[in-house]
Amino acid sequence: KGIEMSTVIDLKNLLPVEIWFCENPRTADTKFEADILNLVTPNTLLLLDRGFYHFNFWLQLIAKNVNFITRLKKGAAIHVEQVFTDSFSLRDRMIRLGSGTKKTPFVTLRLVEVRSAKTWHSYLTSVLDPTVLPPYVVADLYRRRWRIEDAFNTVKRLLGLSYLWTGSINGVQLQIWGTWLFYSVLVDLGDAVADELSLPFDSISLEMIYRGLYHFYVAHQKGNATDPIKYFAAPE
């Protein structure tokens, strides 16, 4: 049975902040905009998927003092209002998007474009001051959004959320909540192992931690291990 699920993940710790569920698999991302607006607090910085490319939504975020970074859609008509940087590998400009209609009102944003070889990568942000959010930080933060995609990949591929065990809505919800709860425990365990080894969290494989739980269980049953953190951090 198809469903639509939207998850807000903290980029710093990769833990889910909120999970929303909809029975209609054809639900557009924009249907979750009200949920996001109710969730976010002032001074939050959101990394938005292009499914949330909606001018009215952006204006509502800005009105709440919530900023965001997203990608520019191809073919978008822009009006340049101010140029901050224009060099061989970097363009940073304040622009205006929209047509002034109710559906596509005017919105003022920064367009940051970073060149890689022959390709330009374009990012939009509502942070208009380059001294507050420098252009290369904008690009780096959005690239780090793939850490969020890694979280979804772990949950779906490794923990089995790509397949539903039942057709009942209650069962589907139980599977979703249970899987994300286990994912959170797995992240906490991986973070603790990283601290034990004095390594950055990114260098720890959650998949190896997950697959190693069976071996820890066997060692624990034999009386050879009591602490999973010490077990995973041991040189052997």
Coordinates of all heavy atoms in Angstrom, one line a residue, residues 2 6 13 52 89 109 114 117 129 153 164 213 230:
G2 N 0.7 2.2 -0.9 CA 1.5 3.3 -1.0 C 1.2 4.3 0.1 O 0.0 4.5 0.5
S6 N 7.0 12.4 5.3 CA 8.0 13.5 5.3 C 8.7 13.6 6.6 O 8.0 13.4 7.7 CB 7.2 14.8 5.0 OG 8.2 15.9 4.9
N13 N 23.2 16.2 14.0 CA 23.3 14.9 14.6 C 22.6 13.8 13.8 O 22.6 12.6 14.2 CB 22.7 14.9 16.1 CG 21.3 15.4 16.1 OD1 20.5 15.2 15.2 ND2 20.9 16.1 17.2
F52 N 9.9 21.7 -2.2 CA 9.3 22.8 -1.5 C 9.6 24.1 -2.2 O 9.8 25.2 -1.6 CB 9.8 22.8 -0.1 CG 9.4 21.6 0.7 CD1 10.2 20.5 0.9 CD2 8.1 21.6 1.3 CE1 9.8 19.4 1.6 CE2 7.7 20.5 2.1 CZ 8.6 19.4 2.2
S89 N 35.0 31.8 -10.8 CA 34.4 30.6 -10.1 C 33.3 30.8 -9.1 O 32.8 29.9 -8.6 CB 35.5 29.8 -9.4 OG 36.1 30.6 -8.4
L109 N 15.9 37.1 -2.8 CA 16.8 36.1 -2.3 C 18.2 36.3 -2.8 O 18.4 37.2 -3.6 CB 16.3 34.7 -2.7 CG 14.9 34.2 -2.4 CD1 14.6 32.9 -3.1 CD2 14.8 34.0 -0.9
V114 N 28.4 28.5 -7.8 CA 29.8 28.1 -7.6 C 30.2 27.2 -8.8 O 29.4 26.3 -9.1 CB 30.0 27.3 -6.3 CG1 31.4 26.8 -6.2 CG2 29.6 28.2 -5.1
A117 N 34.7 22.8 -12.4 CA 35.1 22.5 -13.8 C 34.3 23.4 -14.7 O 34.4 24.6 -14.7 CB 34.9 21.0 -14.0
D129 N 22.6 38.7 3.6 CA 23.9 39.4 3.9 C 25.0 38.3 3.8 O 25.1 37.4 4.5 CB 23.9 39.9 5.3 CG 25.1 40.7 5.7 OD1 26.1 40.7 4.9 OD2 25.1 41.4 6.7
N153 N 18.6 6.6 3.3 CA 19.1 5.4 2.7 C 19.3 4.3 3.7 O 19.0 3.1 3.5 CB 20.5 5.7 2.0 CG 21.0 4.4 1.3 OD1 20.3 3.8 0.5 ND2 22.2 4.1 1.5
L164 N 6.9 -2.5 3.2 CA 6.0 -2.5 4.3 C 5.5 -3.9 4.7 O 5.3 -4.7 3.8 CB 4.8 -1.6 3.9 CG 5.1 -0.2 3.6 CD1 3.8 0.6 3.2 CD2 5.7 0.5 4.8
L213 N 26.0 -5.9 15.7 CA 25.2 -6.1 16.8 C 25.0 -7.6 17.1 O 25.0 -8.0 18.2 CB 23.8 -5.4 16.7 CG 23.9 -3.9 16.9 CD1 22.5 -3.3 16.5 CD2 24.3 -3.5 18.3
K230 N 32.5 -0.4 24.1 CA 33.9 -0.9 24.3 C 34.1 -2.0 23.3 O 35.2 -2.1 22.7 CB 34.1 -1.5 25.7 CG 33.9 -0.4 26.8 CD 35.1 0.6 26.8 CE 35.0 1.5 28.0 NZ 36.0 2.6 27.9

